[in-house]
Amino acid sequence: MDASEVDALRIAALAAFSAATDSGDLEQARIDHLGRRSPLALAQKQLGGLTDEERRRVGALLNELKTAITEAFDARHLELGSVELSQRLASERLDLTGPARRIRPGRPHLLTQVEAEIVDVFLGMGFSVAEGPEVESGRFNFDLLNIPPDHPARGTMDTIYVDEDADIVLRTHTSPVQVRTMLAQQPPIAVVCPGRVYRADAVDATHSPVFTQVEGLLVAEGITMAHLRGTLLAFAKALFGDDREVRLRPSFFPFTEPSAEVDVSFESASGWLEILGSGMVDPAVLAGCGIDPERYSGFAFGIGVERVAMLRHGVADIRDLYDADARFLAAF
Ligand code: PHE
């Protein structure tokens, strides 16, 4: 092997390195020109068959060749590496000046909002919040509320029984929370009882087997129907606007005597809309819960949260409140 052959190998290697345009190509060129089967490596293997003098001469040439090719490879390797890095940086560049993606924050469901608003009105009048279980005994849901076992409200048509033999029901109203409150404390009592209630009703535009109530109870000395009317008028004005009137119509509930249906005036509708049931707590209910009816009297009321939400926001179908349609929910 002479200097011109060595030169030819060097030129070929350098040409291959500069022709490589990515690190894959360059690696192939390295294998071709510096690898175990490259002409350089083969020439080095054949050194052993040469005379001492020749071996020293060719060995020195091949060493120089190897150094030259290696340096050329290293230089190209660095060069391609930095080209590829800048290509990657360019392609992965984030435009931080672009418009931000719109974030849609969540919010409480309309029913949750209205429930909180109703509760808030009563908190402002000095009531506190009492809560109780949704799976309730018939004793608290019915018996202590003066609803005898043969009362139609106890039939399976209205009540969803969890265990009929053990008299365990899904509460049909939050009145049992009022019972629990009276059993636990003496007057003065002023509580509102928000929560879910259950009735075996078929679903239609105005009925749902699960709905939401805020019921209230106030028991103290000297409480009259006038307190009931004033409290509910304040509630109606807070929820529906200052120019509302309330009207009490005689009604019947087993646990109140007298009982009254409360209507709120609406200019738009036919004049009055029924919004809740109420009454003076029946003395038998007070006595059954350990409160002396000779000394104390009280009123109670039950508000349907769905009905208030529908009246106030013009929702025609109760199912809209449960369907979780994002377009509906976004309106509130
Ligand atoms: N508990 C009654 C119901 O769910 C509502 C109500 C409460 C009526 C208190 C009068 C007094 O229908």
Side-chain angles (χ1 to χ4, degrees):
M1 173 155 303
D2 60 23
S4 71
E5 283 173 290
V6 168
D7 238 18
L9 289 182
R10 191 175 53 80
I11 288 166
L14 268 52
F17 294 159
S18 48
T21 53
D22 62 44
S23 40
D25 281 359
L26 183 62
E27 176 59 9
Q28 189 53 55
R30 187 191 66 75
I31 291 166
D32 293 345
H33 297 277
L34 285 169
R36 276 187 296 120
R37 279 193 281 272
S38 63
L40 169 62
L42 294 179
Q44 282 176 317
K45 268 184 208 139
Q46 285 159 10
L47 285 175
L50 299 179
T51 63
D52 284 357
E53 192 192 332
E54 271 294 277
R55 189 166 62 238
R56 241 177 275 123
R57 187 184 64 78
V58 177
L61 280 177
L62 292 180
N63 279 342
E64 275 169 42
L65 175 62
K66 185 169 186 179
T67 306
I69 295 179
T70 304
E71 278 172 4
F73 169 80
D74 288 345
R76 186 61 178 154
H77 187 64
L78 270 181
E79 201 171 69
L80 280 185
S82 81
V83 168
E84 284 174 3
L85 178 63
S86 37
Q87 280 168 353
R88 224 182 87 201
L89 290 177
S91 75
E92 292 176 2
R93 182 164 183 273
L94 290 179
D95 181 0
L96 298 180
T97 67
R101 188 136 52 97
R102 196 159 134 239
I103 293 169
R104 296 165 176 272
R107 75 192 90 182
H109 189 277
L110 175 61
L111 275 180
T112 310
Q113 291 179 37
V114 172
E115 179 187 307
E117 233 179 293
I118 294 171
V119 167
D120 231 41
V121 171
F122 289 101
L123 288 178
M125 290 193 263
F127 286 73
S128 49
V129 173
E131 287 177 303
E134 293 177 22
V135 176
E136 186 55 282
S137 75
R139 183 171 145 74
F140 291 156
N141 193 81
F142 295 124
D143 299 64
L144 287 168
L145 288 161
N146 228 10
I147 306 174
D150 55 356
H151 192 279
R154 300 199 68 159
T156 43
M157 280 302 292
D158 294 316
T159 306
I160 298 169
Y161 281 86
V162 174
D163 183 337
E164 198 155 0
D165 295 328
D167 201 23
I168 305 293
V169 302
L170 293 182
R171 67 182 180 192
T172 59
H173 46 187
T174 62
S175 304
V177 183
Q178 304 172 34
V179 168
R180 289 168 175 273
T181 304
M182 288 189 284
L183 287 168
Q185 79 182 80
Q186 283 296 305
I189 293 169
V191 289
V192 281
C193 312
R196 278 199 188 126
V197 302
Y198 301 83
R199 290 184 198 178
D201 273 332
V203 177
D204 64 24
T206 54
H207 292 87
S208 161
V210 187
F211 59 101
T212 321
Q213 285 188 326
V214 176
E215 292 206 345
L217 171 73
L218 187 136
V219 183
E221 286 183 32
I223 296 302
T224 71
M225 204 88 181
H227 297 111
L228 167 63
R229 192 177 189 286
T231 303
L232 295 179
L233 179 60
F235 159 73
K237 286 177 186 269
L239 261 287
F240 296 103
D242 243 356
D243 47 355
R244 299 298 155 194
E245 295 294 330
V246 291
R247 178 175 80 172
L248 273 57
R249 275 182 300 110
S251 183
F252 175 80
F253 297 101
F255 32 87
T256 48
E257 180 58 36
S259 302
E261 215 72 65
V262 178
D263 300 339
V264 174
S265 63
F266 278 86
E267 315 86 45
S268 51
S270 54
W272 299 90
L273 281 174
E274 177 190 324
I275 58 157
L276 57 88
S278 66
M280 301 305 291
V281 182
D282 193 306
V285 171
L286 292 177
C289 293
I291 290 172
D292 180 3
E294 299 295 329
R295 179 166 172 202
Y296 297 109
S297 57
F299 65 76
F301 55 87
I303 300 166
V305 177
E306 282 78 358
R307 184 158 173 82
V308 171
M310 290 167 77
L311 286 177
R312 212 178 59 171
H313 298 284
V315 177
D317 194 319
I318 197 170
R319 289 168 287 202
D320 288 338
L321 296 173
Y322 305 113
D323 279 350
D325 181 329
R327 291 162 303 180
F328 174 83
L329 298 178
F332 304 100

